[in-house]
Amino acid sequence: MSEVSLARIVRPWGRRGEVRAAVLTDFPERLLKLRHVLLGDGRGEPRAAVIRSCRLEPSRRFAILHFEGCDSIDDARRLVNLYVQIPLAEREPPPPGSYYIGDL
């Protein structure tokens, strides 16, 4: 299965297991709707994860994510440099007349 990366976790955020992630998609609001995602590093098979909460920073370049089972700074540190992904088949369709670079 092929995956699309929507964000990359860059660091822990706060003390309760949240993480700050750099948004990699042109559709950052999609992150707000997702509950089930994959977390992967590009080397092995990504693992399933459930998003408890997500909010976008005002710039929309970063998201604050909280995953189920991630309840401490140490838990959050283990997620740094992982990509938040979805299966390729679940990506947002591009606007009419637009294409994804990978599809050209």
Side-chain angles (χ1 to χ4, degrees):
M1 176 190 339
S2 294
E3 297 83 28
V4 174
S5 295
L6 302 178
R8 183 178 63 83
I9 298 169
V10 294
R11 66 183 180 93
W13 184 262
R15 297 180 293 158
R16 294 193 173 103
E18 292 178 309
V19 294
R20 186 173 194 235
V23 174
L24 304 174
T25 175
D26 290 337
F27 307 100
E29 46 290 323
R30 175 79 194 272
L31 290 166
L32 301 172
K33 301 174 193 173
L34 292 175
R35 181 140 166 84
H36 299 276
V37 295
L38 302 168
L39 296 177
D41 61 6
R43 293 186 299 241
E45 200 63 31
R47 64 181 172 96
V50 177
I51 297 175
R52 278 187 193 161
S53 65
C54 175
R55 64 186 183 278
L56 295 173
E57 291 186 355
S59 69
R60 302 181 99 58
R61 292 178 34 212
F62 291 93
I64 306 302
L65 297 157
H66 195 189
F67 294 96
E68 284 190 8
C70 188
D71 299 309
S72 69
I73 294 173
D74 287 335
D75 291 340
R77 282 187 183 124
R78 287 191 271 281
L79 302 180
V80 171
N81 292 321
L82 293 181
Y83 289 89
V84 179
Q85 304 173 319
I86 58 170
L88 186 63
E90 293 179 18
R91 71 181 173 178
E92 282 286 314
S98 298
Y99 302 91
Y100 287 111
I101 291 173
D103 291 343
L104 298 177

